Amino acid sequence: MRLAAKAGSQTEKDVYLQIAEGWRKLALEALRNERQDMPRAAGEQRSFRHDRD
């Protein structure tokens, strides 16, 4: 976003804004994935987990 603010042309600004949006989406996806990795309540089993026999 800082680079977009300093861009010399609208085309350059648009490129930086597209890159920033891609990073934002990537960060949101990473956050969602981290939340899925959080431990579940005791006794709650996941069908794909085989390490809890």
Side-chain angles (χ1 to χ4, degrees):
M1 296 298 291
R2 284 181 270 152
L3 290 172
K6 296 178 183 180
S9 69
Q10 185 61 43
T11 302
E12 183 182 6
K13 182 177 182 173
D14 291 344
V15 169
Y16 285 132
L17 290 175
Q18 288 176 342
I19 293 169
E21 179 63 15
W23 278 109
R24 188 188 71 77
K25 287 179 181 179
L26 184 62
L28 289 173
E29 182 67 24
L31 183 60
R32 279 193 293 270
N33 289 339
E34 286 177 5
R35 287 181 180 159
Q36 290 177 1
D37 290 341
M38 294 176 82
R40 298 267 180 172
E44 184 179 339
Q45 302 262 336
R46 293 184 173 185
S47 61
F48 64 88
R49 298 281 307 261
H50 300 290
D51 59 346
R52 294 186 182 181
D53 293 332

